[in-house]
Amino acid sequence: MGGLHFLWQSLEIIAKEASKNASNLRMLSTFIIAAAVSLSTVLARAVVPIADSFPNAGSQFSIGLDPADDSNPPPPEPEPISLIELPLPPVALNDEPGSCTLELNPHGTGCINQTTNLQSGSFTLDSNHVTAVVEFVGAPAAPNPASIYTGLQLILIKADGTLFFNGDPWRCITCGMPAKNMVGQSQNLGYPQAFGDGKRVLAGDNIIDCGEFEISEECTPDRVHVYPIHWNVVANGSGPSGTMRELRIHPDGVHLAWSSFTATGQLCYLGRLEFNESPTTGLPLSSRYDLSNINLLFDIDRASTISVNGTEIQVNYDAITIGEVRGFSGTGREITYIGYPAESCNIDVFAIDLYTGTVRRLTSHPEYADPVDISPDDQWTVVMDTRGSGRQMFLAGMRNVPPIIDMITTAVTASTRNNGQRRFFQPWLIDRYGDRGTYFGQQVNGAGNGRPDSVNDPNWNGMADPKWSLDGTKIVYWQALVQPPACGESNPFPCPDSTAAGGRTSRIMLASLTSRESVSKQVIIEAPDVVPWATPFTPGNSDPEYPMLFAGNYSLYGRTCGYANVTIVPTSSGKGVATVAVTYYNFSSDGLSILNGYERVSAQQPSLAMNHVDWYSDLVQTVNGTRHATKKTSSDGFHLSINVMKNIFNANGTLTTTIDGIIYQQPQNGT
């Protein structure tokens, strides 16, 4: 585990350096993706309930082979969805000063480049505008009025087809601000999220505030202020803020959740925002938002992933495993997060009630899920997921396998979801009751023809985060066109040409759910200042330590029948797990699927970012005695080395899952 601790520290340094420079947003985005992969260090310490422990998890044996579940309503029928690309500033030919000419932009309101740093955000209060971050380039030198359109900036985009007063469908909110209005601002403007008051936007670890005016045409540069967020992490209150990432504003507009790397992994927090006009301690000593009433989203009594009672391993089905915060439910009662796999090799998104600690599994498809947003009325989820791509099926296609080997395989399992900058995410719409039976949601952009630059062109990668409009009738998300080295050069797949405006390789998409009526304004449940199941955060205190699992030989009993023999072998230092071996004997946790066979995995970390596994598997599963699945490695085993920062698949040997004759094979090396 020591090497992984150094990895956390190294990644944090990368994030700090990236956030210092506005031009490094893409580097920061790459860091965030890779860091999420490294969450497995934390997640592997905890287990969440599998199968019937979640009312919406289902007990599906494989896609389309789940018996009826009368406890949930029937799945919804597919609905009509209309998609358009939202307008963005024109593209400059290069980044040189003055390259954004009046011929390109007659209004003199700025240009972006082909590979612009771009991130869409959320809808504003009226559901007709979308926040976004872009990087302006090619502005003329001062005193030209257009000189203000430079660098990373927050913009507002019309989502209803109308124009701003100057004829543009977008408006820069932060361009031309006086220096006195942005003292202490950090250059991280990621995940721009509008507050419910319509007057503020959370962008990175800053709050962009227009005072008494809404973020709109009245929000002129002299009225805009940017206030940094300060998290005190030392006992005497001195020094800069603690390092925060993946910040998410609660619907109440008062509380904030965030994740942060520590020497022992990544931890997640919830705190209350309080405006401090004249701070006397901590940096910067400028007007800022301070965080108070901070809860560490960790419960030591529910943090044990697997407990040992004599020679028996017992999975703690009520464990809380918040590896990374992803947001909140629409009404604010739940917080969403990436959790430890509920089924082996299957990484999903979960929600936990801030008041009761009740965990709800939001996704259960065998593919990889991550960015997620819950609708304002809590009845729907939109998630970026690799489902439909087949990318992860060779690992996770066999269902209801206990997540035992995942103690050491989650890093490589998660890393295979990407191929460098090629992400296999697409947006999926799922009702509150989740994946069940033959229902695995509706692909939001599934109605296209799949041709280049169509709405479902697989070369356009879904990015974070999809967001609901407050009226519940629209979804906004953004995509990036695959670029080298994820195509071309040594990669076997050629690079596509962009036909987007100016050859742009990023785009923001608006999905309108045309058959829906606007939902009524929801009653927001304010987050508690004291989360009952969390741990109070005290500045300067040591981070909590996760319980360690001792090496040895154990038995794991199926909740319905059968058992498994489990062997855990420590690393040479004795501080981590090097090998996990499991042999199943008529094992069943759902009363339907019967599992036999073995898996043995050994893991190494040759360098800070590199992970290697030696994997041997021969599993056989039946459901109701008729359906059949296998998960097998070649005779020489499956040996995968993958860098969590690059996600380039490179394996010797094979790992193949076959379900009722359908064969799911691993990706080609280099992809």
Side-chain angles (χ1 to χ4, degrees), residues 333-347:
R333 183 163 184 126
E334 295 174 308
I335 189 167
T336 59
Y337 63 94
I338 302 173
Y340 183 85
E343 300 167 88
S344 187
C345 302
N346 184 0
I347 295 176

Side-chain angles (χ1 to χ4, degrees), residues 464-507:
D465 281 4
K467 287 292 183 182
W468 286 91
S469 63
L470 293 180
D471 65 6
T473 67
K474 305 183 190 76
I475 296 168
V476 68
Y477 62 96
W478 64 289
Q479 297 175 309
L481 186 65
V482 63
Q483 297 290 294
C487 61
E489 302 175 352
S490 60
N491 193 291
F493 295 105
C495 287
D497 295 323
S498 173
T499 60
R504 200 172 3 91
T505 58
S506 297
R507 65 186 188 184

Side-chain angles (χ1 to χ4, degrees), residues 296-630:
L296 171 59
L297 302 177
F298 173 90
D299 181 356
I300 188 61
D301 293 329
R302 297 171 65 182
S304 299
T305 61
I306 298 173
S307 63
V308 174
N309 182 9
T311 61
E312 182 180 343
I313 281 184
Q314 297 173 332
V315 178
N316 296 324
Y317 295 110
D318 64 345
I320 298 174
T321 65
I322 302 179
E324 183 167 284
V325 166
R326 304 312 293 150
F328 296 93
S329 59
T331 58
R333 183 163 184 126
E334 295 174 308
I335 189 167
T336 59
Y337 63 94
I338 302 173
Y340 183 85
E343 300 167 88
S344 187
C345 302
N346 184 0
I347 295 176
D348 288 308
V349 184
F350 301 84
I352 184 170
D353 190 297
L354 287 168
Y355 286 86
T356 67
T358 301
V359 173
R360 184 167 65 95
R361 185 178 177 184
L362 297 182
T363 62
S364 65
H365 190 285
E367 296 282 355
Y368 184 101
D370 190 347
V372 66
D373 195 36
I374 296 178
S375 64
D377 59 1
D378 293 339
Q379 297 306 303
W380 295 86
T381 298
V382 60
V383 60
M384 284 292 179
D385 200 304
T386 65
R387 65 183 65 193
S389 71
R391 182 74 178 181
Q392 301 291 94
M393 293 296 289
F394 80 103
L395 287 164
M398 181 180 284
R399 309 303 303 273
N400 288 317
V401 178
I404 303 300
I405 63 169
D406 302 75
M407 287 186 281
I408 59 174
T409 62
T410 307
V412 295
T413 298
S415 297
T416 61
R417 80 193 190 279
N418 289 351
N419 171 216
Q421 289 303 303
R422 184 192 292 270
R423 293 160 63 101
F424 294 86
F425 286 153
Q426 295 297 340
W428 287 80
L429 181 65
I430 310 168
D431 76 354
R432 176 180 176 84
Y433 302 96
D435 302 316
R436 59 197 186 276
T438 59
Y439 174 72
F440 290 96
Q442 178 180 352
Q443 187 174 337
V444 171
N445 59 339
N449 56 25
R451 295 174 182 172
D453 286 308
S454 64
V455 295
N456 63 342
D457 177 358
N459 282 317
W460 282 93
N461 308 166
M463 310 295 282
D465 281 4
K467 287 292 183 182
W468 286 91
S469 63
L470 293 180
D471 65 6
T473 67
K474 305 183 190 76
I475 296 168
V476 68
Y477 62 96
W478 64 289
Q479 297 175 309
L481 186 65
V482 63
Q483 297 290 294
C487 61
E489 302 175 352
S490 60
N491 193 291
F493 295 105
C495 287
D497 295 323
S498 173
T499 60
R504 200 172 3 91
T505 58
S506 297
R507 65 186 188 184
I508 299 177
M509 304 300 294
L510 176 70
S512 296
L513 310 178
T514 57
S515 64
R516 297 196 180 195
E517 299 290 336
S518 298
V519 299
S520 59
K521 186 176 181 180
Q522 302 296 303
V523 175
I524 301 302
I525 301 172
E526 185 172 343
D529 282 336
V530 178
V531 178
W533 49 264
T535 301
F537 172 79
T538 302
N541 281 9
S542 299
D543 296 324
E545 294 188 6
Y546 290 82
M548 295 295 295
L549 186 64
F550 294 103
N553 297 313
Y554 305 99
S555 296
L556 173 68
Y557 293 96
R559 282 177 289 169
T560 301
C561 64
Y563 66 97
N565 290 333
V566 180
T567 298
I568 298 174
V569 179
T571 60
S572 58
S573 67
K575 296 181 179 180
V577 176
T579 300
V580 178
V582 189
T583 303
Y584 297 96
Y585 300 92
N586 293 324
F587 185 94
S588 180
S589 287
D590 62 357
L592 299 172
S593 59
I594 303 295
L595 180 63
N596 285 281
Y598 70 89
E599 281 195 289
R600 178 184 175 90
V601 183
S602 297
Q604 304 172 43
Q605 190 181 8
S607 65
L608 291 179
M610 183 65 68
N611 284 268
H612 176 86
V613 291
D614 298 301
W615 197 317
Y616 299 87
S617 179
D618 188 359
L619 295 179
V620 178
Q621 188 181 59
T622 59
V623 172
N624 291 333
T626 58
R627 296 159 182 165
H628 187 267
T630 62

Side-chain angles (χ1 to χ4, degrees), residues 63-139:
I63 292 178
L65 296 178
D66 186 24
D69 182 356
D70 294 333
S71 65
N72 291 323
E77 294 293 329
E79 62 184 287
I81 301 176
S82 173
L83 287 113
I84 62 170
E85 182 179 345
L86 291 181
L88 288 168
V91 172
L93 298 178
N94 55 60
D95 296 356
E96 295 299 320
S99 63
C100 182
T101 64
L102 290 177
E103 286 75 20
L104 288 172
N105 186 343
H107 295 154
T109 49
C111 298
I112 57 180
N113 63 15
Q114 286 185 334
T115 56
T116 182
N117 291 328
L118 167 71
Q119 188 171 27
S120 71
S122 67
F123 288 87
T124 57
L125 192 60
D126 63 4
S127 295
N128 289 324
H129 297 79
V130 172
T131 61
V133 172
V134 300
E135 185 177 6
F136 286 98
V137 300

